[in-house]
């Protein structure tokens, strides 16, 4: 996975990007993911859904994101649907969206644990 997208920056000004946190702290970000299919599933979530919907992910350090920006990622994914805005709209089920939110939260929790981000994600529920 680490070398899958080498063109993506892992840091900006010495601070990791979102991708950089995931790559640098991969063991922590994937803690308790035991099955190979779990790793593949979450890798695909990051690569296909979260990063494309995380504004300027390749040009921003993780500490520059606000909670509001991060909270907007899942609704953006939901709005585009499974086809990512290409072709007929096919909605996600809530369980799938919850797993996307879990993946996003995990990386930001790891970033906070390493003092790279001081925000908090709140779903408002």
């Amino acid at each position: 996975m680490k070398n899958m997208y080498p063109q993506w920056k892992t840091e900006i000004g010495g601070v990791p990007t979102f991708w950089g946190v995931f790559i640098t702290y991969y063991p922590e970000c994937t803690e308790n993911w035991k099955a190979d299919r779990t790793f593949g599933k979450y890798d695909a979530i990051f690569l296909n859904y979260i990063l494309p919907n995380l504004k300027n992910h390749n040009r921003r350090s993780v500490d520059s994101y606000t909670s509001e920006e991060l909270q907007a990622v899942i609704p953006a994914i939901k709005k585009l649907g499974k086809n990512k805005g290409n072709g007929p709209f096919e909605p996600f089920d809530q369980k799938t969206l919850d797993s996307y939110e879990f993946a996003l939260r995990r990386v930001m929790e790891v970033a906070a644990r390493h003092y790279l981000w001081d925000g908090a994600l709140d779903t408002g529920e």
Side-chain angles (χ1 to χ4, degrees):
M1 170 84 170
K2 282 186 176 185
N3 298 318
M4 196 171 200
Y5 288 90
Q7 75 275 16
W8 287 355
K9 293 181 181 175
T10 56
E11 66 176 51
I12 303 288
V15 180
T17 60
F18 181 94
W19 178 250
V21 171
F22 185 61
I23 294 302
T24 303
Y25 301 104
Y26 193 79
E28 283 181 71
C29 291
T30 60
E31 187 176 13
N32 296 323
W33 297 357
K34 296 180 174 136
D36 286 342
R37 65 186 172 109
T38 304
F39 286 99
K41 172 185 171 186
Y42 283 102
D43 287 352
I45 288 170
F46 286 115
L47 297 172
N48 296 318
Y49 293 100
I50 292 177
L51 286 167
N53 286 286
L54 189 59
K55 189 175 182 181
N56 298 317
H57 76 87
N58 199 39
R59 296 189 301 259
R60 293 178 69 179
S61 58
V62 73
D63 64 346
S64 72
Y65 285 103
T66 65
S67 294
E68 292 78 17
E69 287 175 300
L70 295 165
Q71 289 169 4
V73 171
I74 302 305
I77 292 168
K78 181 178 180 178
K79 184 178 178 182
L80 290 174
K82 290 181 182 179
N83 295 328
K84 301 181 228 166
N86 302 314
F89 181 77
E90 192 175 344
F92 288 105
D93 59 48
Q94 191 58 48
K95 184 178 176 181
T96 299
L97 292 171
D98 290 347
S99 68
Y100 291 8
E101 183 173 355
F102 170 80
L104 174 68
R105 283 180 176 279
R106 176 65 70 91
V107 171
M108 296 313 293
E109 287 167 358
V110 169
R113 200 176 305 148
H114 289 275
Y115 305 102
L116 300 170
W117 186 68
D118 62 0
L121 289 173
D122 180 20
T123 60
E125 295 178 355

